Amino acid sequence: MWMEYKPDTEEVCNNPPSLSSRVYKTVLLFTGDMEYMDKYMQDKPYLLQLAVCCFRGVSRVSLANNPLSGALILAALYWDSPWQGLLGTLGTLVSTLTAVVIGQDSAEVLGGLHAYNGTLVSLLIGVFNSAGDWYWLLLLPVCFSSVSCVFLQSGLSSLLAHWDLSSSVYPFNIVLLLYLLCTGPDNPYFPHYQVLPPGGLDVNDTNVIALEMIRAVPLGVGQIFACATLGPSFLIFGAVVLYSPLLAAHAMLGSAIGLLAGLSVAVRHDHLYSGLSGLNGALGCMVVGGLFFTLNWRTHLFAVASAFFASYFDIALGNLLGTVGLPSSSVAATFTVTLMSLLTGTLAQHRIPPSQVSSPELNLLCRSKWKITRTSEEECTAQFSPSAQITLPNL
């Protein structure tokens, strides 16, 4: 006869968890938002706290919020180009200190929310600089642009908060275009390259190299940090995987969609092979696919549609701005995300408020709790509503 076996408490205590379970729990400590790190750093020296803020700010560029991911991304930037790594570090540090000096919200500063625009604008100023690496005069516009991003972000956040929207990377795009317009390609102090429109393919040049197309998919993720080298791009992708595997999967999917969009309208081959065609598709797919919306089959298809829309919009905008030698950058993805966040209907029910955005995996867990809380609040409101309790007499 089978009898139910219940182990004693002493027997359970004497059986420690297996090595695989301990390794798994240890790995989980370094994934997601690593919120415990902020509590741990509260009584630590200011320089260490500043370093964690900067690492979080670097990771925010790829829509992550993990200091270890930020450190890996920064290592990838130095691997790709020490000069670019230096510019990214300087922009992150200057924007973070500027936010501290002008008295921005301490929680936002600790979360790196005032650093990522400075990181991006510093990297792109370095990429478009035609004076070569280690051109020390470039540090002046890098610092000034990083400071400007903080002021722009503060103002735009107050404006967009009325619609419960994030300022995103609007400050970076605005400051970068203003810098390139102010200096010009033949500036004696800050010269830069002119950008060609993506749609300049010759009629007889329609054959593509399959291996280069496969290689361009991870490069589309690396292009989020203006990185066009395969090794550092894989390290950047690994940093995103460390934060959220779901977010990383949507990054690759969006980059592939961007390549398909570029192929369908015959953009230049160097635009495809460098990963630039997949940049905006990756960003659009990442934001909608689990970050600003709870992931399910509807929002997943919504993310695919956003990737296509952002990619085609980027090609059209690139052809327009390319006539005057300016880049489209990430304007298309930023505008697409803002537009998708304003949609109404069934999809609007799955939208996550910007103040509660976390990793897609945690968003899935919290969404069920929000539904339970919302249902309880609605029942409570209906039960204790004055209109339900009091019947006014007819006068």
Side-chain angles (χ1 to χ4, degrees):
M1 181 176 179
W2 294 101
M3 298 182 62
E4 184 179 3
Y5 171 69
K6 296 182 179 180
D8 296 335
T9 305
E10 295 182 358
E11 184 177 349
V12 173
C13 295
N14 291 331
N15 292 328
S18 62
L19 178 62
S20 59
S21 63
R22 283 182 291 175
V23 171
Y24 177 71
K25 291 180 180 179
T26 303
V27 171
L28 286 181
L29 291 175
F30 301 102
T31 61
D33 295 337
M34 292 182 65
E35 294 181 353
Y36 67 89
M37 179 65 71
D38 295 333
K39 298 178 181 179
Y40 175 77
M41 297 298 296
Q42 286 179 354
D43 56 346
K44 297 299 182 290
Y46 180 75
L47 289 179
L48 289 178
Q49 296 183 34
L50 182 63
V52 173
C53 293
C54 291
F55 287 146
R56 285 193 184 273
V58 173
S59 69
R60 289 277 188 179
V61 176
S62 60
L63 306 174
N65 181 20
N66 185 304
L68 185 57
S69 295
L72 291 175
I73 292 170
L74 203 58
L77 293 177
Y78 276 101
W79 179 12
D80 180 46
S81 169
W83 172 242
Q84 283 293 100
L86 177 63
L87 293 181
T89 303
L90 180 63
T92 307
L93 186 61
V94 169
S95 56
T96 302
L97 291 176
T98 302
V100 173
V101 170
I102 66 176
Q104 294 297 304
D105 183 72
S106 59
E108 294 181 354
V109 175
L110 289 173
L113 290 174
H114 292 280
Y116 61 89
N117 280 289
T119 306
L120 274 173
V121 76
S122 303
L123 292 174
L124 269 294
I125 287 176
V127 165
F128 290 116
N129 170 49
S130 60
D133 291 350
W134 310 108
Y135 183 64
W136 296 105
L137 198 60
L138 200 66
L139 298 183
L140 294 177
V142 163
C143 293
F144 183 77
S145 299
S146 300
V147 171
S148 301
C149 283
V150 178
F151 284 98
L152 264 178
Q153 182 174 359
S154 179
L156 287 175
S157 297
S158 301
L159 177 64
L160 295 175
H162 296 289
W163 297 277
D164 200 19
L165 295 173
S166 170
S167 61
S168 189
V169 290
Y170 281 115
F172 148 67
N173 287 295
I174 293 172
V175 172
L176 177 65
L177 290 177
L178 288 177
Y179 165 76
L180 296 177
L181 284 171
C182 286
T183 54
D186 300 322
N187 190 280
Y189 304 110
F190 310 110
H192 62 79
Y193 297 108
Q194 281 191 309
V195 179
L196 297 175
L201 185 65
D202 295 334
V203 178
N204 297 324
D205 191 16
T206 56
N207 295 325
V208 295
I209 305 173
L211 185 60
E212 290 292 335
M213 293 296 295
I214 297 174
R215 183 175 176 269
V217 175
L219 286 180
V221 180
Q223 284 289 359
I224 297 175
F225 291 88
C227 177
T229 310
L230 191 60
S233 295
F234 270 117
L235 185 55
I236 291 172
F237 175 72
V240 180
V241 172
L242 180 65
Y243 174 69
S244 167
L246 286 176
L247 193 67
H250 280 86
M252 283 293 191
L253 175 62
S255 180
I257 290 172
L259 289 177
L260 290 177
L263 276 174
S264 66
V265 294
V267 300
R268 294 194 333 271
H269 287 174
D270 61 334
H271 192 76
L272 288 173
Y273 299 156
S274 63
L276 287 173
S277 184
L279 165 62
N280 282 272
L283 289 173
C285 195
M286 290 168 72
V287 173
V288 179
L291 196 67
F292 281 8
F293 293 83
T294 308
L295 185 61
N296 53 48
W297 69 270
R298 286 190 179 90
T299 54
H300 178 69
L301 295 178
F302 191 34
V304 172
S306 300
F308 272 111
F309 183 82
S311 299
Y312 283 121
F313 187 19
D314 175 60
I315 295 170
L317 190 62
N319 286 332
L320 177 64
L321 294 177
T323 58
V324 290
L326 293 176
S328 58
S329 192
S330 59
V331 175
T334 308
F335 180 79
T336 300
V337 170
T338 302
L339 183 64
M340 297 304 176
S341 300
L342 292 173
L343 290 181
T344 58
T346 306
L347 289 172
Q349 301 175 2
H350 302 285
R351 182 171 177 256
I352 301 171
S355 59
Q356 297 177 346
V357 167
S358 184
S359 64
E361 290 82 3
L362 189 59
N363 287 337
L364 283 172
L365 177 64
C366 293
R367 184 67 181 182
S368 59
K369 295 180 180 179
W370 295 339
K371 287 183 178 179
I372 295 173
T373 304
R374 187 179 301 171
T375 304
S376 301
E377 289 178 355
E378 290 176 355
E379 292 176 353
C380 183
T381 302
Q383 182 179 358
F384 295 101
S385 174
S387 59
Q389 295 290 321
I390 301 173
T391 303
L392 295 177
N394 295 325
L395 299 178

